[in-house]
């Protein structure tokens, strides 16, 4: 196995305006320079997105996240030295509120590390060969606090939940604090429903759904919808293989 790759000093890409109001600040992390460059070119051409840094391994990613305070980190899972899993744990733990959202990048949709990456605090998952519009959408979704899970990844996660023992159980009092409607919301989120689809299912407005989701995350101490999906399966609120409600 090769040792850590020394990519030299990492800086903000030249010519990129990173202080524009409302711009989503992105850090791109991949040990392959050409891959990083490709992602940067695509993101820099998108409206409302600014690439604020690049990194070639996990240790550099953590340093850059502290220095450039990105909103979203595109993180390769497999890298020499510190890998994307450990870097994600450190980055999402930088501060309790406002830490960057991490979107994991990999070549395989059934990557053995995907489950652990999401448990480490990642907010989404994207294949490296995804179309450019999917990359841009992933960054925007993560910045907005939404989950990004491809259907193939969702199926893989459900299989993983069926095999693994519970490992993320909040206190019984926290679960008991959920109202019946909030439990319905959690189950629908775990089924992969969007806010619009949940609103249609429950005959309420999208704003109401967003409010309920926010209450659930606050009550259970969760970062985002991905963690709500994990909790729903690990606590038995959803049983893998069970039919939709």
């Amino acid at each position: 196995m090769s040792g850590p790759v020394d990519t030299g000093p990492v800086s903000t890409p030249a010519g990129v305006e990173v202080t524009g109001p409302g711009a989503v600040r992105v850090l791109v992390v991949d040990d392959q320079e050409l891959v990083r460059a490709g992602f940067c070119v695509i993101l820099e051409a998108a409206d409302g997105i600014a690439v604020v840094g690049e990194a070639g391994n996990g240790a550099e990613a953590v340093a850059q996240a502290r220095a450039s305070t990105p909103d979203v980190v595109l993180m390769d899972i497999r890298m020499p030295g510190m890998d994307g899993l450990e870097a994600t744990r450190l980055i999402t733990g930088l501060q309790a509120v406002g830490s960057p959202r991490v979107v994991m990048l990999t070549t395989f949709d059934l990557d053995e590390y995907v489950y652990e990456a999401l448990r480490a605090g990642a907010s989404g998952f994207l294949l490296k060969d995804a179309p450019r519009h999917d990359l841009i959408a992933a960054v925007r979704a993560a910045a907005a606090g939404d989950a990004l899970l491809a259907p193939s990844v969702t199926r893989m996660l459900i299989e993983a939940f069926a095999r693994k023992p519970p490992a993320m159980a909040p206190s019984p009092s926290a679960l008991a604090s959920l109202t019946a409607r909030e439990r319905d919301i959690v189950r629908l989120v775990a089924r992969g429903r969007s806010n619009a689809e949940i609103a249609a299912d429950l005959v309420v407005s999208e704003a109401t759904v967003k409010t309920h989701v926010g209450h659930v995350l606050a009550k259970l101490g969760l970062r985002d919808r991905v963690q709500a999906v994990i909790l729903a399966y690990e606590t038995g609120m959803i049983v893998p293989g069970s039919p939709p409600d």
Side-chain angles (χ1 to χ4, degrees), residues 141-216:
D146 292 332
L148 183 85
L149 292 176
S152 61
V153 177
T154 302
R155 288 194 299 272
M156 184 272 298
L157 283 175
I158 291 172
E159 292 173 1
F161 287 126
R163 295 192 305 266
K164 291 178 177 285
M168 180 189 167
S171 67
S173 61
L175 284 176
S177 71
L178 296 180
T179 65
R181 178 46 58 92
E182 287 168 350
R183 284 176 175 270
D184 290 339
I185 294 286
V186 172
R187 292 188 186 99
L188 289 169
V189 167
R191 296 290 188 192
R193 302 283 206 281
S194 66
N195 282 351
E197 290 168 336
I198 294 173
D201 287 343
L202 300 180
V203 195
V204 297
S205 69
E206 284 190 56
T208 297
V209 173
K210 286 178 129 180
T211 298
H212 282 310
V213 170
H215 288 166
V216 167

Side-chain angles (χ1 to χ4, degrees), residues 219-241:
K219 285 182 178 181
L220 301 180
L222 305 177
R223 278 178 53 84
D224 53 31
R225 295 167 74 103
V226 170
Q227 288 198 332
V229 173
I230 293 174
L231 176 138
Y233 282 98
E234 291 192 338
T235 60
M237 295 178 71
I238 291 286
V239 177

Side-chain angles (χ1 to χ4, degrees), residues 69-157:
T69 61
D71 300 307
V72 177
V73 179
L74 287 179
M75 178 75 74
D76 189 15
I77 291 181
R78 300 179 179 184
M79 294 182 291
M82 182 188 293
D83 65 13
L85 291 175
E86 182 60 23
T88 295
R89 291 188 188 98
L90 294 173
I91 288 173
T92 58
L94 287 177
Q95 47 185 322
V97 178
S99 56
R101 306 284 180 173
V102 177
V103 176
M104 306 302 300
L105 297 165
T106 190
T107 307
F108 307 103
D109 61 348
L110 294 181
D111 192 297
E112 62 186 292
Y113 298 117
V114 170
Y115 176 85
E116 292 303 324
L118 294 176
R119 285 202 43 79
S123 295
F125 172 88
L126 192 68
L127 299 181
K128 287 186 178 181
D129 61 357
R132 67 177 59 202
H133 57 81
D134 283 357
L135 172 66
I136 295 168
V139 167
R140 289 174 173 157
D146 292 332
L148 183 85
L149 292 176
S152 61
V153 177
T154 302
R155 288 194 299 272
M156 184 272 298
L157 283 175

